[in-house]
């Protein structure tokens, strides 16, 4: 396709690039929202994941928060020191520590709910409700597909 000056039009950006741009913009807004609470966007993500699914192990929480197991272990120690989470041995495997939100961690999340809702509403403001649902569905499908590929056995080379 040629433009009016005869040069070739650039290819549209890759979907992966657009997703990364969105993630970067969202992370910037989240970092600004959670900073007054002494948190990072990654710490907020971990706390929110615990609210949704309490009693996770550090490894499970790392996967849900998009960080390495080592990074999550360090983060959990820091959050525990601040009184935002607690850890206790799992009743089924004493070597696994289950992580739960403390009352203080839950209170911080409640304080942040409106601000995070505002960020999400701003992000989605130009989309019709049915397009928001389509977007959410598409993102879940894409994430699940990549996760399945990551855990599928790889053929020998």
């Amino acid at each position: 396709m040629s433009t009016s000056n005869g040069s070739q039009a650039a290819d549209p950006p890759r979907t992966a690039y657009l997703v990364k741009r969105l993630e970067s913009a969202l992370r910037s807004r989240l970092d600004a929202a959670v900073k007054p609470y002494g948190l990072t966007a990654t710490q907020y993500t971990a706390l929110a994941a615990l609210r949704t699914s309490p009693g996770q192990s550090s490894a499970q929480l790392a996967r849900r928060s998009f960080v390495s197991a080592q990074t999550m272990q360090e983060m959990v120690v820091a959050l525990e020191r601040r009184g935002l989470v607690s850890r206790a041995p799992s009743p089924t495997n004493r070597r696994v520590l289950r992580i739960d939100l403390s009352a203080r961690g839950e209170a911080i999340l409640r304080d942040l709910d409106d601000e995070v809702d505002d960020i999400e509403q701003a992000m989605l403001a130009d989309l019709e409700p049915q397009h928001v649902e389509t977007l959410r569905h598409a993102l879940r499908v894409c994430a699940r597909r990549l996760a399945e590929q990551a855990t599928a056995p790889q053929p020998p080379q």
Side-chain angles (χ1 to χ4, degrees), residues 12-147:
R14 290 186 178 273
T15 303
Y17 171 76
L18 295 173
V19 169
K20 182 60 182 171
R21 275 189 61 201
L22 173 59
E23 186 272 336
S24 182
L26 181 58
R27 176 149 186 177
S28 176
R29 294 282 306 270
L30 276 175
D31 274 332
V34 302
K35 187 176 182 177
Y37 295 86
L39 296 173
T40 65
T42 305
Q43 290 170 326
Y44 170 81
T45 300
L47 294 174
L50 285 171
R51 178 165 58 181
T52 302
S53 185
Q56 297 178 60
S57 69
S58 185
Q60 291 169 321
L61 191 55
R63 284 189 295 275
R64 289 192 172 115
S65 302
F66 317 108
V67 298
S68 70
Q70 180 179 352
T71 297
M72 181 52 67
Q73 181 59 32
E74 293 167 2
M75 188 184 316
V76 168
V77 168
L79 292 171
E80 186 177 36
R81 282 188 191 131
R82 293 187 53 205
L84 302 179
V85 300
S86 62
R87 294 186 290 175
S90 168
T92 58
N93 184 344
R94 307 295 285 168
R95 294 182 302 176
V96 174
L97 294 177
R98 293 173 41 130
I99 306 162
D100 289 293
L101 276 178
S102 67
R104 185 171 179 219
E106 179 62 44
I108 286 175
L109 286 179
R110 275 193 312 273
D111 287 349
L112 285 165
D113 280 343
D114 287 342
E115 193 157 357
V116 174
D117 286 347
D118 289 346
I119 292 168
E120 187 166 311
Q121 287 173 3
M123 175 179 71
L124 300 170
D126 294 334
L127 298 177
E128 296 295 327
Q130 70 271 20
H131 294 136
V132 171
E133 288 308 313
T134 300
L135 173 63
R136 287 181 174 148
H137 174 74
L139 292 171
R140 282 191 295 271
V141 168
C142 291
R144 183 176 60 243
R145 177 72 173 147
L146 288 178

